[in-house]
Amino acid sequence: ESLGLKDMTTVLIVGGGDGMGGIIAQAQAVGEKLQSLAASTNENYQMVVVCGNNKAAQTTLSPPQTNWGADIEVNVQGFVNNMDEYMRASDILITKAGPGTIAEASICGLPCILSSFLPGQEEGNVPYVEENGFGCYRGSVDGMAETVQEWLASPSKLEQMRDNALVAARPDATLDIARELADMVYVRKEELKKGGGANSKKETQTKTKSIQYGMGPF
């Protein structure tokens, strides 16, 4: 309620801090699909569009320039500082394959449709999301809209992707790292008590460097 949203199935479209990634076309395609679904199923749907700093997109997608009709609720925002709250209020996220957004979405248990990625820097995030079972890549707006329809038609699949996202988030990673470091400190102290040499120290340092926790290839 604090976000001004209705309590209904919600698709969140995020354009990044600068509102990049064809967000107008994405919102129009998904909005039309949700309108069609609402009319044919009598279900209530909501779309939230976060345009970032793209004020032109925000204006274009807001009334009176765009009339979304009475079948769906549409909430268009500019730059927001509480993205996690919008994510927790949503059921599906459409976003570019940015590491911060994907990490935050997985923590919130939010299935993702990845709309684009930067070659090299973000490319590895696509298979990470797909292989962990909480999203997919769709390079066309029609593909995004069709995927939204497919997921909404299968609540059990959507629920499984939510669970997969939470598993991928590794919420205990920080505690695991702390425990591992504490164990190594204890082992090192015991080695020093027993007169352990330089080789033991080197092995401990190597083990420290080998610890890898986190979200994947971000």
Side-chain angles (χ1 to χ4, degrees):
E1 292 184 0
S2 63
L3 299 175
L5 303 180
K6 303 290 186 179
D7 183 16
M8 59 182 64
T9 301
T10 301
V11 178
L12 173 62
I13 303 178
V14 177
D18 293 320
M20 304 298 290
I23 194 168
I24 295 176
Q26 292 173 23
Q28 290 172 338
V30 173
E32 289 177 4
K33 184 64 69 175
L34 292 178
Q35 287 174 336
S36 176
L37 284 172
S40 62
T41 64
N42 291 322
E43 296 288 337
N44 296 318
Y45 295 106
Q46 180 170 243
M47 180 172 69
V48 178
V49 187
V50 178
C51 300
N53 293 320
N54 191 335
K55 295 187 181 300
Q58 184 179 4
T59 299
T60 298
L61 294 172
S62 300
Q65 289 202 26
T66 298
N67 181 8
W68 294 102
D71 292 329
I72 63 170
E73 296 287 337
V74 179
N75 186 300
V76 182
Q77 298 289 325
F79 182 86
V80 300
N81 293 311
N82 55 339
M83 183 62 71
D84 61 314
E85 295 180 37
Y86 282 97
M87 286 186 177
R88 294 186 189 281
S90 302
D91 299 278
I92 296 173
L93 170 67
I94 298 177
T95 180
K96 68 188 291 291
T101 305
I102 293 175
E104 199 163 12
S106 64
I107 292 171
C108 295
L110 184 57
C112 301
I113 298 173
L114 303 179
S115 59
S116 62
F117 59 85
L118 294 177
Q121 180 181 348
E122 297 175 346
E123 191 169 357
N125 297 336
V126 174
Y128 175 79
V129 169
E130 293 177 333
E131 291 168 8
N132 280 280
F134 68 100
C136 65
Y137 171 75
R138 295 291 183 266
S140 70
V141 294
D142 289 339
M144 297 171 207
E146 292 295 333
T147 301
V148 167
Q149 180 181 36
E150 175 191 339
W151 289 2
L152 292 179
S154 179
S156 60
K157 179 177 181 178
L158 205 54
E159 184 63 31
Q160 183 60 60
M161 286 193 290
R162 291 191 191 101
D163 293 341
N164 293 343
L166 291 171
V167 172
R170 300 182 185 178
D172 297 326
T174 301
L175 289 176
D176 290 340
I177 293 172
R179 292 190 190 100
E180 187 72 20
L181 291 174
D183 288 344
M184 285 192 295
V185 170
Y186 174 78
V187 170
R188 179 57 184 156
K189 286 184 176 179
E190 291 300 307
E191 289 173 349
L192 290 174
K193 288 179 182 178
K194 297 176 182 179
N199 287 338
S200 297
K201 182 177 181 181
K202 185 176 181 180
E203 290 172 1
T204 303
Q205 291 173 336
T206 301
K207 185 177 180 183
T208 302
K209 293 178 181 179
S210 70
I211 299 176
Q212 294 183 354
Y213 292 93
M215 289 297 302
F218 299 159

